[in-house]
């Protein structure tokens, strides 16, 4: 009568790698060529080929570290599970782990880059069934501050004739062709990164006609799947209406889940319904000294913001106001008093309308918050 081990050896013929992987207590399998291997059917012979494929795909990316993920054709993992349960083997690692590890070692040699499972610059996905390698890169979260001239809106907006579908007016782009900070940044960041997939987050906004002065308004751009990961600290984009420039540029460590709050200094040009008396100006100054101001937000709960200081000059009905406000308090409403109280109108006891306002300084209060988890890499 045959004992268990020779029976198993007969049933399970494995390639060298698949045999090595079965760990302590495994019987001595009959070692065969890859194609005849019960578990992998020759897939484990493909690691060099896969590493070369991965290296050639990765060449298009600038990276320092990589991770490797593997997918195997149906049945491979199941056959290894069957073998292990039949022979009561724990195995030293799974076929997936071994495949990923072997490719990673070869890829490290070919590219001279390091492996980093937690926060790799690029992730290589190897589909052993399809004999394909694909590479995706970790997004870059670019922080910067922009300044802009009048006549440039902050965001790129949809074409108002076609609402994004693409028409003659927008030359098929679906977007308003007038210059925007976002449009200028997309072009620049696109050039630096080799990616055109971006998501913008702004710390507040202003009007198209507002100028934003140094040090500029902070923003964060998530650049998805970038080819290149290094961005200049400073750059500019010349538009017909003037220069949009970026300074303080840097890459954030990961996706911000909490933005800092901020306050800003604004210079407002306003017109009152009646002539402003000097007493009115003095009243503005004294009324708005770290003053809480209520903003009845439409579709939202009322909020209280602080006005830190106001100084004002008047010539007849024309008013020049400088003020420091909490982020999120709309300048025009603070002047007119619509949904905001107290307001410039309320204190001066006359209707005042904001003509234009510029942003002269944005100060961040607090820090960005980052999540603990890193960008999703496949676990092997
Ligand atoms: Zn095998
Ligand atoms: Zn259009």
């Amino acid at each position: 009568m045959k004992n268990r081990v020779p029976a198993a050896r007969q049933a399970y013929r494995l390639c060298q790698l698949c045999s090595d992987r079965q760990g302590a207590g495994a019987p001595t399998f009959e070692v065969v060529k890859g194609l005849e291997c019960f578990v992998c059917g020759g897939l484990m012979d493909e690691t060099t080929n896969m590493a070369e494929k991965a290296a050639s795909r990765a060449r298009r990316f600038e990276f320092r570290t990589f991770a490797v993920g593997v997918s195997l054709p149906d049945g491979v993992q199941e056959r290894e599970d069957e073998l292990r349960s039949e022979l009561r083997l724990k195995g030293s690692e799974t076929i997936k782990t071994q495949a990923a590890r072997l490719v990673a070692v070869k890829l490290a040699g070919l590219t001279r880059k390091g492996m980093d499972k937690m926060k790799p610059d690029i992730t290589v996905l190897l589909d052993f069934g399809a004999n394909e390698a694909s590479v995706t890169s970790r997004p870059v979260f670019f922080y910067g501050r922009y300044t802009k001239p009048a006549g440039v809106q902050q965001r790129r907006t949809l074409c108002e004739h076609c609402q994004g579908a693409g028409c003659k007016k927008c030359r098929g782009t679906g977007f308003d062709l007038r210059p925007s900070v976002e449009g200028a940044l997309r072009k620049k960041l696109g050039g630096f990164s080799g990616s055109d997939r971006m998501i913008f987050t702004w710390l507040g906004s202003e009007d198209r006609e507002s100028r934003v002065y140094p040090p500029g308004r902070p923003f964060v751009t998530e650049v998805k799947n970038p080819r290149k990961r290094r961005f200049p600290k400073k750059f500019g984009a010349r538009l017909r209406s003037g220069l949009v420039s970026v300074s303080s540029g840097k890459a954030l460590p990961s996706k911000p889940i909490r933005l800092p709050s901020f306050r800003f200094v604004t210079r407002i040009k306003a017109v009152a319904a009646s002539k402003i008396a000097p007493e009115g100006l003095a009243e503005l100054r004294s009324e708005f000294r770290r003053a809480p101001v209520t903003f009845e937000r439409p579709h939202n709960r009322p909020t209280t913001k602080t006005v830190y200081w106001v100084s004002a000059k008047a010539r007849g009905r024309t008013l020049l106001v400088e003020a420091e406000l909490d982020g999120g308090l709309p300048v025009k409403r603070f002047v007119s008093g619509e949904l905001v109280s107290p307001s410039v109108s309320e204190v001066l006891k006359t209707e005042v309308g904001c003509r234009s306002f510029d942003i002269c300084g944005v100060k961040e209060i607090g820090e960005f918050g980052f999540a603990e988890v890193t960008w999703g890499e496949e676990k092997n």
Side-chain angles (χ1 to χ4, degrees):
M1 210 177 98
K2 286 180 178 176
N3 65 21
R4 253 186 103 227
V5 172
R9 284 170 61 177
Q10 265 187 350
Y12 299 115
R13 301 160 79 223
L14 304 179
C15 73
Q16 189 66 58
L17 285 166
C18 289
S19 164
D20 293 347
R21 202 174 53 242
Q22 301 318 319
T28 312
F29 295 101
E30 183 188 344
V31 171
V32 292
K33 285 214 175 84
L35 279 175
E36 295 163 42
C37 173
F38 168 73
V39 172
C40 77
L43 288 178
M44 293 308 285
D45 292 340
E46 295 299 315
T47 54
T48 301
N49 159 39
M50 287 306 240
E52 279 164 3
K53 258 198 180 127
S56 97
R57 298 274 186 281
R59 215 157 280 145
R60 296 157 71 196
F61 291 81
E62 180 186 278
F63 67 103
R64 283 169 309 162
T65 56
F66 66 86
V68 174
V70 163
S71 79
L72 297 171
D74 286 347
V76 175
Q77 188 65 60
E78 288 79 354
R79 285 197 294 279
E80 177 156 80
D81 292 346
E82 177 198 315
L83 171 141
R84 287 186 180 177
S85 88
E86 191 87 356
L87 303 181
R88 300 207 169 89
L89 297 173
K90 274 195 181 140
S92 54
E93 59 189 342
T94 67
I95 182 167
K96 239 179 161 180
T97 315
Q98 189 189 41
R101 184 172 55 76
L102 292 173
V103 173
V105 168
K106 287 170 182 165
L107 186 56
L110 289 169
T111 60
R112 307 195 166 278
K113 311 285 179 182
M115 191 164 67
D116 179 350
K117 284 189 179 174
M118 293 308 289
K119 203 179 169 190
D121 288 343
I122 62 166
T123 296
V124 179
L125 286 174
L126 304 165
D127 184 338
F128 273 71
N131 195 24
E132 289 286 352
S134 63
V135 174
T136 52
S137 66
R138 182 164 49 84
V140 169
F141 295 90
F142 179 78
Y143 167 96
R145 284 172 171 263
Y146 72 86
T147 58
K148 77 169 195 71
V152 179
Q153 63 189 353
Q154 182 187 59
R155 289 166 207 231
R156 183 176 72 164
T157 51
L158 290 181
C159 167
E160 52 191 19
H161 300 278
C162 66
Q163 297 304 325
C167 69
K168 241 185 185 170
K169 292 248 185 196
C170 61
R171 282 189 235 125
T173 61
F175 292 101
D176 191 332
L177 292 178
R178 286 180 294 181
S180 68
V181 174
E182 181 179 342
L185 293 182
R186 278 185 179 275
K187 221 168 172 182
K188 282 286 173 179
L189 295 174
F192 299 142
S193 66
S195 163
D196 58 3
R197 288 167 53 213
M198 291 169 219
I199 297 172
F200 286 82
T201 307
W202 314 92
L203 255 71
S205 65
E206 65 283 324
D207 269 13
R208 182 195 301 270
E209 292 313 317
S210 302
R211 292 180 188 85
V212 177
Y213 290 107
R217 186 185 291 288
F219 66 94
V220 177
T221 310
E222 175 178 359
V223 183
K224 291 175 182 271
N225 204 29
R227 298 276 170 82
K228 287 175 280 177
R229 316 188 62 81
R230 275 176 300 194
F231 297 77
K233 237 178 123 171
K234 282 178 168 189
F235 56 89
R238 187 150 303 276
L239 303 176
R240 212 183 303 156
S241 15
L243 187 70
V244 168
S245 57
V246 169
S247 60
S248 309
K250 62 179 179 193
L252 298 177
S254 63
K255 188 188 186 76
I257 52 160
R258 198 183 59 243
L259 300 177
S261 54
F262 65 94
R263 47 163 110 161
F264 63 103
V265 174
T266 179
R267 222 171 273 155
I268 305 162
K269 223 179 258 172
V271 177
S274 54
K275 196 166 174 271
I276 308 293
E279 302 81 67
L281 302 179
E283 216 159 306
L284 278 180
R285 261 194 302 274
S286 63
E287 189 72 29
F288 292 114
R289 230 174 250 158
R290 284 197 165 265
V293 164
T294 310
F295 172 30
E296 306 273 344
R297 292 178 293 182
H299 320 297
N300 213 330
R301 271 194 272 155
T303 175
T304 301
K305 300 283 182 187
T306 300
V307 175
Y308 296 90
W309 53 264
V310 167
S311 75
K313 277 186 258 180
R315 186 183 287 169
R317 297 193 296 119
T318 306
L319 202 56
L320 287 173
V321 180
E322 220 174 280
E324 184 166 11
L325 315 176
D326 264 342
L329 185 59
V331 174
K332 287 176 161 171
R333 293 181 193 279
F334 169 62
V335 173
S336 71
E338 190 194 343
L339 303 175
V340 170
S341 175
S343 66
V344 173
S345 289
E346 199 176 326
V347 171
L348 293 178
K349 298 183 188 71
T350 181
E351 213 170 280
V352 184
C354 174
R355 282 296 152 88
S356 65
F357 66 96
D358 293 334
I359 303 296
C360 309
V362 180
K363 203 191 292 169
E364 286 168 27
I365 312 291
E367 308 263 317
F368 282 94
F370 299 102
E372 292 290 318
V373 289
T374 55
W375 183 62
E377 79 281 0
E378 204 192 65
K379 285 248 156 60
N380 283 297

